[in-house]
Amino acid sequence: TQHLEPCAVLDLVDVATGRIERSWLVAHGSGSDPAGTGMVQSFSNRLGSNATSRGAYLTANPYDGKYGRSQRLIGLDPENDMAMDRAIVIHGAPYVDPALIPVQGRIGRSQGCFAFELDEVGAVMNLLGEGRMIYAGMA
């Protein structure tokens, strides 16, 4: 897997073997990177923080939203239990594009959502489906 810095990556891991099956570029929240460096500085669960929340999420129902096909997430930890209230979801976004890294030094940032490349979000949602776990944290 090509490692792109500074950016975030979502890895699909086979929990039985620990093997990374697939990786995708994913945006983190602008509130987690107030200086715009592309690197997560902090996490938040507060409404209006525009930050990524740390912890485990359960994938919920898909729907058509502002960014097209999207999927709701349920926060499972005290650090992300406001995910539904904050509308933290999986969606595609034009600002998640590896071509932006050499131009602006990073991909764009979300308002706390797991935003993927427009061409990849369908594959992410198809592989995850409902009832799967996502974990956000620092490597």
Side-chain angles (χ1 to χ4, degrees):
T1 302
Q2 179 185 8
H3 188 65
L4 302 170
E5 288 288 345
C7 65
V9 176
L10 180 98
D11 293 322
L12 178 64
V13 178
D14 180 329
V15 293
T17 65
R19 189 174 136 230
I20 295 174
E21 299 286 327
R22 185 139 181 220
S23 297
W24 294 276
L25 193 60
V26 63
H28 58 261
S30 60
S32 290
D33 176 23
T37 65
M39 306 300 283
V40 171
Q41 302 298 312
S42 63
F43 294 93
S44 178
N45 195 30
R46 287 183 302 108
L47 288 168
S49 69
N50 293 336
T52 300
S53 296
R54 182 190 312 260
Y57 295 83
L58 187 67
T59 57
N61 60 304
Y63 67 99
D64 288 319
K66 175 181 176 181
Y67 290 102
R69 188 170 176 212
S70 303
Q71 188 165 14
R72 290 182 175 84
L73 296 170
I74 301 166
L76 300 176
D77 295 316
E79 296 87 8
N80 67 6
D81 62 0
M82 295 293 293
M84 290 291 276
D85 292 338
R86 292 181 60 209
I88 302 302
V89 302
I90 292 171
H91 67 77
Y95 55 79
V96 183
D97 184 339
L100 294 173
I101 297 171
V103 175
Q104 63 187 28
R106 62 171 171 76
I107 61 171
R109 297 167 299 157
S110 70
Q111 293 180 327
C113 291
F114 292 80
F116 293 86
E117 292 177 70
L118 290 170
D119 293 344
E120 295 291 332
V121 70
V124 171
M125 290 176 58
N126 288 338
L127 282 169
L128 290 176
E130 290 185 51
R132 298 289 179 94
M133 188 178 296
I134 295 178
Y135 182 82
M138 306 253 299

